[in-house]
Every structure is written in structure tokens, then in C-alpha cells.
Amino acid sequence: MAMKTLIEAISEAMDEEMARDERVFITGEDVGPRGGVFRATMGLIDKYGAGRVVDSPLAELSIIAIGIGAAMAGLRPICEIQFADFIHPAMNQIINEAAKMYYRSDGQWPVPMVIRAPYGGGIGGGLYHSQSLEAIFAHVPGLKIVVPSNPYDAKGLLKSAVRDPNPVMFFETKKGYRLIKGEVPEDGDYTVPIGPVNVLREGDDLTVYAYGIMAYYTWQAAEQVADEDGIECEVVDIRTLLPLDREGILESFKKTGKALIVYEDNLTMGYGAEIAAVLSDDGFEYMDGPIKRLAGPDVPGVPFSHPIQEAFMPNPKKIAAAIRDLAGY
Amino acid sequence: MADLSKDTLLDMYRNMVVIRRLEEKSAELYQQGLIGGFLHLYIGQEATGVGAVWALGEDDHVITAYRDHGIAVSIGIEPKYILAEMMGKTTGVSKGKGGSMHLADKDKHFWGGYAIVGGHLPLATGLALRARYKDENFAVLCLMGDGSTNIGYFHESLNMSAVWDLPVVWMIENNQYGMGTAVDRASGETELVKRAVGYGMKEGPRVDGMDVLAVYDATKEALEYAKKNGPILMESLTYRFVGHSMGDPERYRTKEEVHEYQEGDPIRIFGDKLIGEHKVTQEQLDVFDREARDLINEAVEFATNSPNPEFDDLFVDIYS
């Protein structure tokens, strides 16, 4: 095992999948010589050539739509959207085409593609470089939505995404790209299955559900409250937002009876509501307290200025406070 | 040829110098961690912004992309309010919510910088619609980078402005790279103004974007044309001397290429012209430079001493 950053793990996954399967190619803005704005594709053009690492014009609609067409024709595109915030011009292609193609063709035209998009705030990106959009897409059956929280999962899940016969949206925490480090096997092919949740930390007092960087922060907060208050949280990393692992989500709740759901996206109509609904529908018998959510506030964007950006973002301190509140119920 | 008084020419020169000094200071503040996020500098492109904005009439409007500091200064926003915004202070033009890429001042008819490439083009069409709707005599100057000419917004916006004869000057600030992708790697037709033909729109000039007076003249003419006839597409051929944003390793171009363009620094070219043709002395230009430095230093002080927004500011201006 070797310590890698989240972005190194993502680069490795693409590199290995391109080596494994010559149908796999990458397209996006400045993915070639520049190596992508976050350097996720650095060096891949030297290894695989400009025919497989394709700089696109500045045109998100086409980056994704070309991916859909190429996938229908038997290729395995990885489409990079530079920031998740830039994805909106391609909404029609994702929702009306990628998600529906297999269904409308009676199962004849699968769309095996990956859409990678860095999401989230905390880096001073301001209103148009900080959004979390997973909940919007998680409302669309036909898509798979993956948000990894650590390098091991990121690599294994991205490899699974490339091999998956469906359109997979892969949201990467840009704040966590170099912040989050973890062990990744040195060699040997491994994948992490799309679907099941992952228990990052076991505990009996309450369950905290999170994904992406919030799962990382939650783990930190859980360690802190264990040390300082003796509260033992179970931390469940959702990892795959669609399709949702209802069983995995319930399993922990059956043990603890208390749930806090943490996400960075705006609170209202967010992903937490769905988790809460699962717990309410199928876990009512086990409920031992209110289901709580800690999320970004309902404001139109993550503002630029540092103090109000931080006011927006959930962080380990806020998560720890929410855990203490719920534990005391 | 521009019929401008010597005083006006000197003011334009001052404007260019203020932009340059502002940008250099911004880079410094960024490196010190006092400006965060993303920062896109206008160094090298000053002649385009100053020439274009100075050509605007009192009733005209302007809108641009995220490389907007130069436009903001040229339209008359004081650097202290720009720097305060970049530093996230409540005295900034959007009280710290927007940052560097979203400067604006409605009273000055400056509808802002936009971080989503090309996203502002249809807004320009909408702004111009008012002129036809209310029979008003103004034009909208819509600046955009060469990168934005390949996104769907461009096609829809230019077409509709042509169909409805809207008074828009579509000006491509062609600095030759959309981030790290050269124009010829992103566009089938690299003479971008030629696209006008496909929309039945007036094909405007490809003006030397390093010559502030050439930009001024061409924009002035284009604005007059737009008000009388409808949209026009023009290009200003320019070059950014610095990376796309801070921290750009610039692997897509050579140092030699950058140096070659720096030889044609638009501020030096204009300064030489003022000395050669308008009896201005180097000493005078040096005074402007010192004044610009002082202005920017005062702006830094103002911004530094301005308050940060607080938690409650998160919830201000969500609904009208």
C-alpha cells in the first residue's frame, strides 16, 4: 500500500483503465497538454496520445453529448467537466439522452460513459466554482451517481464506473483533491463496487451519514467526539447516491436508532431528505430520536468572501456540535 | 482616426497604467494569500478594454466575461472597490459575495463579469432587446474571449440578435488561447469574425488589439453601426502576457512566444506614440505611473482596513 492523494488515485484509475481497454478515452477542456485544470489527466496525453486524450473546445454540451454518441457506438468515454458548475449547458444531454437511452431503446443502446466533475466549495471559488449538484442528478433514474470520500474508494469506484454499462456521474471533491490522503494498493487491479455504502467507523451511539468530503470531515468529527465526550458514532459513507443502498443505510440505524445526515449542498430538497425518508419508511421501529440534517444553508450560491464561505460550509467543528446535540437527545 | 483631445489621450494612457498596476498588485496580494480563489489578470490586454470602453456613449452598455478587472477600471469603478471585492470585503462592489470574476456597476451600465464562459452572451441579447422594444438609441458592447465562440450560447445569441436587428457589438477579445487551448485547436475557422456571415450579420474588422486608438476607432464605428442597423461581430487581436489564471504552468506556449508579444506591450506602444506625436515627455508618463502606484497602494489600504462580511450577510439579497 502507498499513501496517495485523492487526485493521484483518480489519475491512476484512468491511466490503468486506458491501459486495460483501448476503447477508453478522455475528453474535456484542457485535459491534454495542460493535464486538466486540477491536473487529473497530467501526463496521460504523453502516454496515450492526442487521439485518446482529446482537448475539446469550450463546449460542455458537446463534451457530454459526444460522449453519449461515442458510448452508443461502443467506445468508453470519460468526459471531464472542468467544474461541476459548468455542467448546466449539458442538462438536456444528461437528463433527456444519457439517462433515457437504454430505456427508450428497449435495452438495445446502453450508454457506458463516465462524467467526471469536481464539485464543492471551500477553495474560494465563489458562486460559479463551488456548487454541489449531486442531488439534482440523483433525481434522475438511469444515471448512477458516485461521490467518493477517500483515495482507495475513488480509484476503485472510478474503475468500476469505467467498466459499468451505464452513464455514471462521478463527482470529485476539489477541496479534497490534495487534502485527503489514504492508502491505495501499489499494484494489482481492484475495484470498489458501485452501490454499497461503506462503514468508515463503527459506533453504537448514533449514525452519521455523509459522502464526499463531508464523509471525511464527519470521520474527523467522530474521532473528536469519541476522544472528548466518549460518544461513539458510526460513520456511514454513502459513496453511491444512485442507486441507493437502502439496506446498508438501514443496517446501521437499526443498531443506533439515531441519525444525522451531513451534506454540503443546500439543505432544502437535498440528499438528506431522501435518507431521512428511507429511515422513516423502513426504520421507524428503531427510531430513538429526531432524524437531523446538517447541510449548506439555503442560499443561491457559495459566496466568495472567506468568512461567509466558511459560514456556508459544514466542517468538522459544526459536525461535532451536531453530533453532541443529537447524542444528548 | 480618433479625434481625441490630448487630455483625453492622456486619460486613456493613465487608465491603462492603472489597470497594469492594479493587476500586478493583485498578483502580489494573491501570492500573499490576501486574495483567494481564482484570479485572471488583464495584463497585455489593456488596449482592448480601454479602447473599447472609451468608445462607449453615455447611453451604451457593456457586459463581459470573467477577465473583467480592466473593464471595471475603464468604466470608472474606483480600484479600491475592486480590490475590496477581490479581498472579500463588505466595501467591495458586491460586498464580497462575487469576488474577482463578477465585478459590476449598474449605474455605469456595466452589467458585469461572468464566470460561466459564454453565459453572458444571451444576456447581452436581452439587454439590447430593450433598445428595440422601447425605441431607445443605445448599443450593447458584449466582450467575450475567443474560447466562448465555441459554446452554444454564441450561436443562439448571435443568430437572435441578427434576426431581431438588435444593437449589439459582439467583440471577441481574441488573446489566442481559450485557457490553454489555441484558437486553431478549438475552431475550424480561425478568423472568428467570418462567422458573422453565417448569421447574416455585419462582419466587422479584426482590429489590432494592442493599439488602443485602433480599438477605440473600430469600436466607435461598430457602436454607431449597431445603433442604426443591428448587430456586428468584430475581433480585437490581443495577447495575455500572464497565465490564464494564477498558477497556470503555461505548458501550451513557449516563453519565446510570450517575450515576442511583450515586445509589443500596448502601454509602451501608446506611450511612445504620445511622446512622438503629441509632445508628451517621458517625465510626464513617469508621473502617471507614480500616481497609479499611489492610487493602487491607497486602494490596498482601503481594502485591507475594510470589514469582512459576517454570518448574517450570507442571507442578504436572496429574494427581491
Side-chain angles (χ1 to χ4, degrees):
Chain A
M1 300 282 257
M3 287 299 277
K4 302 273 181 186
T5 61
L6 188 76
I7 196 157
E8 283 169 344
I10 287 165
S11 295
E12 278 184 12
M14 288 191 282
D15 188 354
E16 290 176 18
E17 289 305 293
M18 291 183 84
R20 184 189 60 81
D21 183 347
E22 65 174 19
R23 296 173 301 171
V24 178
F25 73 97
I26 297 172
T27 189
E29 291 153 12
D30 274 316
V31 294
R34 198 176 190 273
V37 73
F38 292 103
R39 319 267 190 275
T41 56
M42 194 60 123
L44 294 180
I45 193 169
D46 303 326
K47 213 162 162 182
Y48 300 104
R52 292 183 69 194
V53 183
V54 188
D55 274 342
S56 75
L58 211 154
E60 285 82 7
L61 177 167
S62 290
I63 292 168
I64 286 174
I66 287 164
I68 297 169
M72 289 164 69
L75 303 181
R76 295 273 171 159
I78 300 173
C79 301
E80 178 176 301
I81 297 297
Q82 203 165 66
F83 287 80
D85 312 60
F86 303 173
I87 209 165
H88 299 100
M91 288 302 253
N92 177 61
Q93 280 65 34
I94 297 169
I95 295 174
N96 282 343
E97 287 152 16
K100 293 174 178 51
M101 198 60 75
Y102 191 66
Y103 195 65
R104 66 161 266 190
S105 65
D106 294 332
Q108 294 179 70
W109 303 339
V111 181
M113 70 183 298
V114 180
I115 299 167
R116 292 182 42 246
Y119 81 95
I123 64 158
L127 305 162
Y128 311 92
H129 292 73
S130 305
Q131 293 173 69
S132 299
L133 299 169
E134 64 278 1
I136 292 174
F137 294 104
H139 190 62
V140 183
L143 302 176
K144 293 190 178 184
I145 315 293
V146 176
V147 192
S149 72
N150 62 74
Y152 180 89
D153 280 359
K155 184 173 176 183
L157 284 163
L158 184 51
K159 288 165 80 89
S160 290
V162 172
R163 299 175 194 189
D164 197 286
N166 299 288
V168 180
M169 301 191 71
F170 200 85
F171 289 105
E172 300 163 6
T173 160
K174 67 176 92 80
K175 167 89 174 170
Y177 267 152
R178 289 174 175 79
L179 175 72
I180 303 176
K181 298 181 181 74
E183 297 207 317
V184 175
E186 289 267 30
D187 51 11
D189 193 24
Y190 78 97
T191 57
V192 172
I194 292 175
V197 300
N198 180 38
V199 177
L200 289 178
R201 184 185 192 284
E202 293 191 1
D204 294 326
D205 293 329
L206 60 91
T207 304
V208 190
Y209 298 94
Y211 51 86
I213 193 165
M214 289 304 144
Y216 173 73
Y217 283 166
T218 296
W219 177 80
Q220 290 182 328
E223 291 293 310
Q224 190 192 336
V225 295
D227 280 353
E228 294 175 4
D229 309 76
I231 301 168
E232 292 298 337
C233 292
E234 184 136 309
V235 180
V236 176
D237 183 354
I238 303 289
R239 296 197 296 196
T240 299
L241 276 57
L242 194 68
L244 185 58
D245 178 8
R246 300 172 72 97
E247 290 305 314
I249 286 166
L250 277 168
E251 201 177 300
S252 177
F253 190 66
K254 286 177 183 172
K255 184 167 70 172
T256 64
K258 285 181 180 172
L260 169 68
I261 307 148
V262 182
Y263 50 109
E264 181 183 331
D265 191 9
N266 308 116
L267 176 77
T268 301
M269 300 286 170
Y271 201 72
E274 189 59 38
I275 305 281
V278 168
L279 300 177
S280 169
D281 284 346
D282 299 328
F284 188 72
E285 302 299 316
Y286 305 92
M287 207 174 283
D288 188 29
I291 298 170
K292 301 300 287 184
R293 293 173 295 168
L294 174 66
D298 291 328
V299 301
V302 184
F304 164 73
S305 181
H306 187 72
I308 42 176
Q309 173 188 268
E310 292 311 302
F312 181 100
M313 298 283 294
N315 58 31
K317 197 176 159 193
K318 293 179 194 175
I319 298 169
I323 290 171
R324 288 186 184 108
D325 278 355
L326 182 57
Y329 180 83
Chain B
M1 189 58 206
D3 182 23
L4 296 168
S5 70
K6 185 172 165 183
D7 282 348
T8 304
L9 294 174
L10 293 179
D11 283 343
M12 290 170 81
Y13 181 84
R14 273 200 194 100
N15 188 342
M16 291 171 76
V17 174
V18 168
I19 295 171
R20 180 69 60 90
R21 299 288 94 85
L22 169 71
E23 297 297 63
E24 288 168 351
K25 183 59 79 178
S26 304
E28 211 177 297
L29 294 168
Y30 190 90
Q31 274 144 3
Q32 292 167 5
L34 296 169
I35 293 175
F38 302 103
L39 185 66
H40 311 82
L41 302 178
Y42 207 56
I43 294 174
Q45 298 183 213
E46 294 92 343
T48 295
V50 173
V53 169
W54 281 69
L56 293 170
E58 213 171 284
D59 298 325
D60 295 331
H61 296 252
V62 61
I63 187 166
T64 189
Y66 52 86
R67 201 178 300 284
D68 59 354
H69 311 162
I71 306 304
V73 172
S74 304
I75 206 77
I77 302 179
E78 289 183 55
K80 62 182 182 180
Y81 301 122
I82 298 172
L83 269 174
E85 185 62 33
M86 290 191 211
M87 292 171 72
K89 300 303 182 84
T90 51
T91 51
V93 296
S94 66
K95 298 178 184 156
K97 276 185 182 144
S100 148
M101 293 184 271
H102 322 113
L103 305 172
D105 190 333
K106 191 187 162 202
D107 293 339
K108 295 182 166 63
H109 295 184
F110 173 38
W111 294 93
Y114 288 80
I116 301 296
V117 173
H120 65 294
L121 272 60
L123 306 185
T125 316
L127 291 167
L129 182 62
R130 177 193 162 117
R132 290 288 175 261
Y133 195 89
K134 300 187 81 166
D135 199 19
E136 292 173 342
N137 188 34
F138 70 81
V140 177
L141 170 65
C142 179
L143 295 145
M144 70 191 96
D146 46 273
S148 63
T149 61
N150 293 316
I151 195 158
Y153 301 118
F154 179 88
H155 169 66
E156 297 184 25
S157 306
L158 267 72
N159 183 54
M160 286 170 91
S161 72
V163 171
W164 294 341
D165 296 324
L166 301 180
V168 189
V169 174
W170 301 106
M171 183 189 284
I172 304 163
E173 281 190 77
N174 184 348
N175 68 14
Q176 308 185 39
Y177 293 92
M179 196 171 271
T181 303
V183 169
D184 65 356
R185 295 180 59 235
S187 298
E189 170 56 70
T190 55
E191 246 181 81
L192 301 173
V193 282
K194 284 193 178 164
R195 303 220 189 149
V197 178
Y199 299 110
M201 180 186 299
K202 167 84 172 169
E203 181 182 326
R206 304 185 90 199
V207 65
D208 176 2
M210 303 311 243
D211 178 345
V212 65
L213 297 181
V215 176
Y216 174 89
D217 283 339
T219 312
K220 195 100 188 155
E221 207 173 300
L223 288 163
E224 289 313 312
Y225 176 90
K227 281 179 235 188
K228 285 200 194 83
N229 307 289
I232 173 170
L233 178 64
M234 63 183 289
E235 260 179 282
S236 180
L237 301 175
T238 180
Y239 198 83
R240 62 173 153 72
F241 294 167
V242 291
H244 161 75
S245 60
M246 299 297 290
D248 176 359
E250 298 184 61
R251 294 198 336 151
Y252 49 84
R253 63 183 188 185
T254 62
K255 283 199 170 68
E256 291 71 32
E257 180 186 300
V258 178
H259 289 153
E260 203 174 303
Y261 277 101
Q262 281 171 327
E263 293 295 308
D265 188 315
I267 296 179
R268 195 184 45 73
I269 289 175
F270 191 35
D272 288 349
K273 194 181 187 101
L274 291 172
I275 292 170
E277 297 174 19
H278 299 277
K279 296 179 185 159
V280 177
T281 64
Q282 184 61 49
E283 286 69 32
Q284 272 177 287
L285 299 186
D286 292 344
V287 170
F288 295 155
D289 191 63
R290 278 200 298 279
E291 286 171 353
R293 285 175 200 277
D294 291 345
L295 179 73
I296 299 305
N297 286 335
E298 286 160 23
V300 174
E301 205 178 313
F302 170 83
T304 306
N305 294 328
S306 294
N308 280 314
E310 293 175 5
F311 181 77
D312 289 345
D313 292 316
L314 251 184
F315 302 95
V316 175
D317 296 332
I318 295 177
Y319 292 105
S320 179

